Every structure is written in C-alpha cells, then in structure tokens.
Amino acid sequence: VRLGIFKGLGFVMVTTGLLYVLNRRSFREVCKGYLLSEQQAAERQRAENESKGLAERLTTTFESITDAFYTVDREWRFTYMNHQAEKMLHCDRDKVRGEVLWDLFPDAVGTKFQEEFLRSTSENITVIFEEYYAPFDRWFEVRAFPSPHGLAVYFRDVSEQRKAQERILEQATLIDLARDAIVVHDLSRRILSWSQGAQRIYGWTGDEALASRFDELLSVPDQRFEEAYRAVLLKGTWHGELHKKTRS
C-alpha cells in the first residue's frame, strides 16, 4: 500500500494497482487504520517470534535432560517425546506422534500407569510412583503433571535400584534369622541397623536402638572398646571379647 496527498486530496494505491482518491477526512481515517493494522501485524509477528523462540528453548532443554519425557493431549495422543523417551520406550517418536498411548502400550492398561495418569488428570494433581512394565522387564519411576492441554510425564529406569533394595531386604531377613546380635553403625557411631538377635540379647527394640549412639547404648567404660574401634578403622576387622550392658 502506498499513501500520498496531492492538492488536498489523498491517494491510496494498493498492491493490485488500483488507485483510490479520497478527501482529506477520509484519507486521515484510512491512514489511522493502516497504521493501526501495521502495528497489530508487527505485534503479532513479535509474539509469534517469541513463541517460536520459547518452543525452541524448551525443546533444547527437554532433549538435554537425562530423564525420559513425553506429553500427551486430553485424548491421550502423543504430542511430544524426547530422545531419551524414544530410546527407553523402543519406538520412533516421529511415527508415534498423534498415536494413542494405550493403543501403543496395551500392557499398561489396567496397571498403576493408567490408574495414576487418570487420577492426575481427573483430580488435577501431580502424581509420583514406581511401577513395573512387564514387556520391557523394567521398573520405572514416574512423575506426571497435568495441564489444560493434557499430561506431561517424566520417567527414568530404576530397575538396578530396585534390585539393590531387594538384595538389602534379603540380607536384612538373613540377619534377623541369625541368633547372634548384629549391629551396624556409621563412623559417628550412630546405629543404622539392629537385628532381632540384638533385640533379644540386649533388650532394646530396633526403634529404640536406631535413635541412639552405639557407644552410649551398649558400652561400659572399657579401654578395650576404643582399642577395638581403632583396630577396625585401621585393619577392617577385630576379634575379641568386650563387656556390654543390657537394658536390664
């Protein structure tokens, strides 16, 4: 659009080649409208650029995090998936975009995954849980955040941590089966583990013992205890006899 004034008349030429001749008043109105339109167009362009820049920054962030991440809309269709999620879910993110979550992963239907996701969207709350997914033979820690557009899901593989926890529980069970008193404490002598045998021999329950220091709870004044403690720190082991007190 080109605007101009000649001998008190306004001229407006549009891109199609048409020329409009207007009186001064009409010309002013056209100019005001044109300037307003240009300003609105500039604002829209600026907003679009800002939105595009934000989207690019968010994508860069989601691609760089170590957690797997994806989003679904209100109809459970995938709208975004980062590279880590693509790898952990064994799928092509370009192909799954627009596909329904429960159709692609039918073994998740009826599990805690579906239960918690539905609870998150219906109650509009964040949910955090761990669940086993049989087809992958993996345990996942999941955090899901609802929004007006659907659900954002972060998850990570915690299979190794679960195995470690199971080993610890097995060891704790074996320790409790032992008739000997087995006590574990840290370097500050704070009791970390107290077996059933320790409870039977010394009289304090596990809850009572775990709130105490080993030397304050069990030891009578005895120089040999300090010698034994130093030997363990230096050599890693010590064998001998020490006097201990009991609750009674």
Side-chain angles (χ1 to χ4, degrees):
V1 177
R2 292 184 179 181
L3 305 175
I5 297 177
F6 181 73
K7 293 185 177 181
L9 296 175
F11 295 88
V12 180
M13 179 175 284
V14 297
T15 54
T16 57
L18 292 176
L19 178 65
Y20 297 89
V21 181
L22 306 171
N23 61 35
R24 187 178 294 273
R25 181 178 177 183
S26 298
F27 182 71
R28 282 200 300 267
E29 293 298 320
V30 168
C31 288
K32 284 172 59 178
Y34 173 74
L35 292 174
L36 180 60
S37 176
E38 287 292 298
Q39 183 181 4
Q40 290 173 339
E43 289 175 353
R44 281 198 302 271
Q45 186 62 49
R46 184 167 56 251
E48 288 174 5
N49 291 339
E50 289 177 356
S51 178
K52 183 180 178 181
L54 176 60
E56 289 174 351
R57 290 194 296 274
L58 286 174
T59 298
T60 300
T61 300
F62 290 136
E63 290 300 324
S64 64
I65 62 176
T66 55
D67 281 358
F69 173 79
Y70 66 80
T71 56
V72 292
D73 63 17
R74 303 296 290 184
E75 303 300 322
W76 303 103
R77 293 186 296 257
F78 281 103
T79 55
Y80 175 77
M81 179 183 293
N82 72 357
H83 175 67
Q84 192 69 9
E86 180 182 39
K87 185 167 67 172
M88 292 175 66
L89 296 178
H90 309 289
C91 63
D92 183 329
R93 55 180 166 178
D94 292 327
K95 292 181 180 178
V96 303
R97 189 179 292 113
E99 298 293 329
V100 175
L101 169 65
W102 313 119
D103 292 342
L104 288 175
F105 301 99
D107 291 283
V109 175
T111 68
K112 199 170 185 179
F113 292 108
Q114 188 178 46
E115 244 174 60
E116 291 298 296
F117 287 174
L118 289 172
R119 188 166 73 91
S120 178
T121 54
S122 63
E123 299 179 22
N124 196 35
I125 58 171
T126 298
V127 295
I128 302 173
F129 62 94
E130 288 187 8
E131 179 65 315
Y132 176 73
Y133 190 61
F136 297 162
D137 189 25
R138 312 301 290 174
W139 279 90
F140 294 105
E141 179 190 80
V142 182
R143 291 169 292 149
F145 303 86
S147 77
H149 307 292
L151 198 67
V153 180
Y154 296 80
F155 65 100
R156 61 192 183 97
D157 188 337
V158 292
S159 302
E160 294 307 314
Q161 293 92 315
R162 293 285 300 204
K163 288 178 183 177
Q165 290 172 5
E166 289 170 4
R167 286 194 295 270
I168 291 171
L169 290 175
E170 289 172 1
Q171 292 168 358
T173 301
L174 292 174
I175 287 173
D176 280 340
L177 291 175
R179 296 190 61 78
D180 292 339
I182 301 175
V183 181
V184 178
H185 64 78
D186 60 19
L187 292 177
S188 65
R189 304 185 185 180
R190 187 72 56 187
I191 294 174
L192 302 176
S193 177
W194 183 264
S195 72
Q196 291 291 328
Q199 179 174 324
R200 184 176 60 256
I201 292 172
Y202 296 120
W204 286 281
T205 65
D207 289 340
E208 293 169 328
L210 292 175
S212 308
R213 282 170 53 96
F214 176 81
D215 50 349
E216 294 173 352
L217 186 68
L218 295 178
S219 297
V220 296
D222 190 340
Q223 183 61 30
R224 287 176 297 175
F225 173 78
E226 292 301 328
E227 293 172 358
Y229 188 73
R230 285 195 294 272
V232 170
L233 292 178
L234 289 172
K235 302 177 182 178
T237 184
W238 177 86
H239 298 281
E241 293 184 1
L242 289 172
H243 292 291
K244 293 285 186 296
K245 63 183 179 182
T246 65
R247 187 169 192 170
S248 58

